[in-house]
Amino acid sequence: SALRSAINNAAAGDSIKLGANIKLTSQLQILKSGTSSKKINFSGNGYTLDCSGISSGWGIKVNGSYWNITNMTIKNAPDCGMVLQVGGNNYIAYCKFLNNGDSGLQIYNSSYGNYVYKCESYYNYDSKNGGENADGYACKLSGGKNNKFDGCIAKYNSDDGWDLYGQPYSVTMTNCEASYNGYISSGKTTANGDGNGFKLGSSGQNVKHYLSNCVAKNNLACGYDGNGNTAAMSISNCSSSGNKKYQWYRITG
């Protein structure tokens, strides 16, 4: 397709813009890289990449660096909507991740320095696993350094709003909201979804995460859960209300 050709042949400083909604039939792989002074711009112009034609796997794989990926909806992927896997220094802004079969957006495998701004992640649900994996945003297991979320919203994801399970480096979340996670779009719960707003690591870890001006409300489990991470968190001007289990749980700092 024209989109694939443009992505595969992109060079530093190029701009790619969607002109219509597109239904993908295989994973869109972003492999080329821009530079710090000449980023590659990929704008959705408000259009949608519908990943329902993909038989398995993620919708978009980002292995390149210095991309600006903006203003598009990514929906119906069999697995995660978008995964930033290696490379880094990417800017993901004004994107929506809807109804994917795992997390809306995931950062792992050393991907570093990514700035996720004013994105929304709703109704992601891994039905094959009873909801236990599909987070709004996952920066977990093996993400690199200096990943930041600013002004993002996670609602009605079957597992957690944000999941930092096993994440070895600090993550920053500013002006973010997690609500109604642990519920699916019908308002029902799933067999295995956790339903935390912000899950801040896992046992055996001592990794400090930074949260400011965040809101966690009406999630199925906890608003904020340290989940066994023993580091003192940096939390300022954050609120927690209406969460069914605890508002703050296993948080130090």
Side-chain angles (χ1 to χ4, degrees):
S1 69
L3 173 60
R4 261 177 227 286
S5 177
I7 294 285
N8 291 341
N9 293 300
D14 282 358
S15 290
I16 300 162
K17 294 183 179 180
L18 292 182
N21 298 323
I22 292 177
K23 184 171 181 178
L24 296 175
T25 55
S26 62
Q27 184 182 81
L28 185 65
Q29 299 191 5
I30 294 177
L31 307 177
K32 296 293 180 69
S33 292
T35 66
S36 59
S37 60
K38 288 187 175 181
K39 297 190 174 186
I40 302 173
N41 299 291
F42 177 23
S43 170
N45 270 344
Y47 290 111
T48 295
L49 293 175
D50 180 355
C51 304
S52 62
I54 300 174
S55 59
S56 64
W58 310 328
I60 301 178
K61 177 172 77 176
V62 182
N63 280 14
S65 300
Y66 294 112
W67 283 74
N68 295 330
I69 302 174
T70 59
N71 197 23
M72 68 185 73
T73 296
I74 295 153
K75 68 179 187 179
N76 300 333
D79 203 296
C80 297
M82 177 187 289
V83 175
L84 296 114
Q85 187 181 225
V86 296
N89 296 316
N90 296 297
Y91 176 62
I92 313 297
Y94 303 104
C95 290
K96 291 184 179 180
F97 304 93
L98 309 177
N99 293 109
N100 296 293
D102 204 319
S103 298
L105 179 144
Q106 180 166 329
I107 299 172
Y108 90 134
N109 268 19
S110 78
S111 187
Y112 59 90
N114 300 295
Y115 184 47
V116 184
Y117 181 67
K118 291 280 178 87
C119 289
E120 300 173 36
S121 193
Y122 304 146
Y123 310 126
N124 299 294
Y125 171 33
D126 54 321
S127 55
K128 285 181 274 194
N129 298 300
E132 75 174 321
N133 294 321
D135 308 300
Y137 305 91
C139 185
K140 62 186 180 184
L141 300 172
S142 55
K145 296 181 178 179
N146 300 323
N147 288 301
K148 182 174 183 178
F149 298 86
D150 184 2
C152 296
I153 301 172
K155 287 185 179 179
Y156 287 103
N157 299 291
S158 65
D159 198 30
D160 303 309
W162 270 260
D163 189 353
L164 310 186
Y165 184 94
Q167 166 60 15
Y169 301 105
S170 299
V171 177
T172 299
M173 289 151 285
T174 306
N175 306 311
C176 291
E177 177 189 333
S179 54
Y180 297 100
N181 295 292
Y183 300 95
I184 54 175
S185 55
S186 65
K188 293 180 179 175
T189 58
T190 66
N192 299 321
D194 287 344
N196 296 292
F198 296 87
K199 183 185 284 176
L200 305 176
S202 51
S203 61
Q205 287 197 293
N206 189 270
V207 179
K208 184 173 187 171
H209 298 300
Y210 296 82
L211 295 87
S212 60
N213 303 313
C214 291
V215 174
K217 58 186 181 183
N218 303 325
N219 296 290
L220 179 65
C222 304
Y224 303 80
D225 184 0
N227 202 39
N229 185 354
T230 54
M233 299 294 153
S234 172
I235 297 177
S236 62
N237 296 320
C238 293
S239 67
S240 192
S241 62
N243 302 292
K244 274 212 163 166
K245 188 176 175 184
Y246 297 105
Q247 306 315 310
W248 304 88
Y249 188 48
R250 300 185 288 185
I251 302 277
T252 55

